[in-house]
Amino acid sequence: MGNVSVIGCGYVGLTTAVCLAHLGHTVVAADIDASRVELLNAGHAPMYETGLDQLLAEGLANGRLRFVNDSAQAVAQARFHFMCLPTPQGVDGAANLDALDTAMEELGDVFPAGSVVILKSTVPVGTADEVRARLLRPEVAVVSCPEFLREGTAVHDFLHPDRIVIGATNDRAATDVAGLFAAIDTSVLTMSNRSAEAVKYSANAFLATKLSFINSIARICESVDADVLDVVAGMGADNRISAKFLQPGPGWGGSCFPKDVAALSHLARSAGAPAPLLDAVLVANDEQINHVTTRVMQALGPRPVDSRVRCEARIGVWGLTFKANTSDRRDSPALEIVRRLQAAGLTVQAFDPTVSEPITELPELVIAGDPYEAAAGCDVLVILTEWEEFALADLQKTAEVMRAPRMLDARNIFAADTTQLDGFAYSGVGR
Ligand code: UGA
């Protein structure tokens, strides 16, 4: 079993730390946020992830996992160092590598000889080579091991991956890193660092492309009176296509897809191989967000909506996070739709199971305590996140509290059973 350090305790770093401890390794994880470290050592995860709390408790109890505020301390005793630092969107869409650069400067001389630096964060192609060149320590290997964790199911994805990708120039380091995951039954693909870095961006960009594609098809279906769910079933039955990741919605978001598609597009331009398809994927997503906003306004009927006049129409929103089972609202299409509805002069009130306080970036958004409070007095109710709680809601009660029972189900959560929608003027997306 290996001695591991994890630098950065966000959802990737923390998931990596608790799962590696669960696999039997000794893990010291570091974060610059002292209060986060204190909470983690007390067994409190700073974010909601299914299964995380249990593995955190397990690792702390059996002594294989601890958290420190000092990266150098974490690194000094370990052989494997997982760099799990944020790489947010920077200028022109390029990934901002400041956090990684700072950590490498601080730790460059501290990594023990013979140890392995593992780049887990999503980084532009060529980053591992640059890190190696700047490190100037041939006795320290630099390996790429991109993460493919979805928020909300990150622990499951870590322990049951479709594949593990390892990029390295040094066979021994690649084999040793693969050994850390020996208990996981999956294929390990070994390649160059650059290819491994490209796999990560390409995987996210492909998934985002699939979503922009199906959202575009959904808009076409609406115009030609076809049903996108039947189209997905028919297309998805083809093994080469698959119905996975083909559910239309209000647009895609989160902390990864928008920045990663933008970063890959930036990388393509700087490499002299521009990829207009990637820009179209981003444009199509913005169009979908706009389209759903417009459909909410159309559902209000022919009343004039003038952005200079605050009209009395009221919109209820169910769901603010970028998808269900996460408390993350970063780049959430729901927030953008609320912003555009408010800009059109509409009053918006929302319920999300993870939101109880007003949202700083949307101070005029009224936060409701439950789904019915969000629907109360509204002219249209729009579902923007697919929380199970909404599928289980009492729709008769919902219709009763609304001023006009109209629903735009932008996640198609009621698509399969429209009988319970009696009394509603209902529409989904792409149907
Ligand atoms: C994504 C990838 O799925 C992970 O493999 C990757 O590791 C991660 O980014 C990352 O780079 O860290 P995540 O951002 O958690 O994971 O979100 P997804 O579950 O992929 O969903 C992304 C967006 O697509 C959400 O807004 C979701 O609602 C939307 N979506 C997803 C749809 O609209 N329809 C679908 O069928 C699937």
Side-chain angles (χ1 to χ4, degrees), residues 255-341:
S255 64
C256 304
F257 283 0
K259 81 167 170 70
D260 289 352
V261 179
L264 186 57
S265 170
H266 180 274
L267 186 79
R269 281 193 302 278
S270 359
L277 172 68
L278 297 174
D279 301 320
V281 167
L282 292 167
V283 170
N285 196 43
D286 190 63
E287 276 170 6
Q288 184 67 3
I289 290 173
N290 234 358
H291 176 69
V292 170
T293 309
T294 305
R295 284 205 47 208
V296 174
M297 294 196 279
Q298 284 168 345
L300 283 171
R303 70 169 70 220
V305 177
D306 185 333
S307 60
R308 290 158 303 175
V309 182
R310 179 157 289 282
C311 71
E312 59 172 34
R314 190 173 282 269
I315 309 298
V317 167
W318 282 1
L320 293 170
T321 52
F322 82 98
K323 63 174 184 179
N325 304 319
T326 173
S327 53
D328 200 338
R329 297 191 301 268
R330 282 177 290 174
D331 263 314
S332 172
L335 294 195
E336 192 50 39
I337 289 167
V338 168
R339 191 173 293 121
R340 292 180 194 189
L341 289 170

Side-chain angles (χ1 to χ4, degrees), residues 177-223:
V177 172
L180 292 173
F181 304 104
I184 296 176
D185 181 20
T186 191
S187 52
V188 175
L189 307 175
T190 307
M191 56 191 76
S192 71
N193 291 90
R194 283 174 181 262
S195 298
E197 290 162 340
V199 166
K200 171 60 200 242
Y201 273 121
S202 308
N204 272 6
F206 180 77
L207 291 170
T209 304
K210 220 176 162 183
L211 295 177
S212 277
F213 176 86
I214 202 61
N215 285 335
S216 300
I217 297 293
R219 295 202 290 276
I220 296 171
C221 285
E222 285 172 20
S223 306

Side-chain angles (χ1 to χ4, degrees), residues 49 52 89 91 179 200 207 257 263 297 347 350 371 376 385:
E49 270 301 330
L52 189 69
Q89 190 164 325
V91 187
K200 171 60 200 242
L207 291 170
F257 283 0
M297 294 196 279
T347 300
T385 312

Side-chain angles (χ1 to χ4, degrees), residues 72-120:
Q73 190 192 337
V75 161
Q77 302 300 320
R79 168 140 194 259
F80 301 97
H81 317 286
F82 284 85
M83 309 305 289
C84 302
L85 296 157
T87 53
Q89 190 164 325
V91 187
D92 294 340
N96 175 335
L97 298 180
D98 288 355
L100 178 65
D101 290 345
T102 308
M104 291 307 298
E105 246 165 63
E106 193 188 320
L107 301 173
D109 296 332
V110 189
F111 296 122
S115 67
V116 186
V117 174
I118 303 160
L119 301 182
K120 196 115 196 90

Side-chain angles (χ1 to χ4, degrees), residues 11 147-151 200 204 211 245-247 252-253 256-257 260 322-323 411:
Y11 101 99
E147 55 87 9
F148 303 102
L149 312 174
R150 288 165 298 174
E151 284 187 31
K200 171 60 200 242
N204 272 6
L211 295 177
F245 240 77
L246 213 50
Q247 293 311 313
W252 44 267
C256 304
F257 283 0
D260 289 352
F322 82 98
K323 63 174 184 179
R411 293 284 185 172

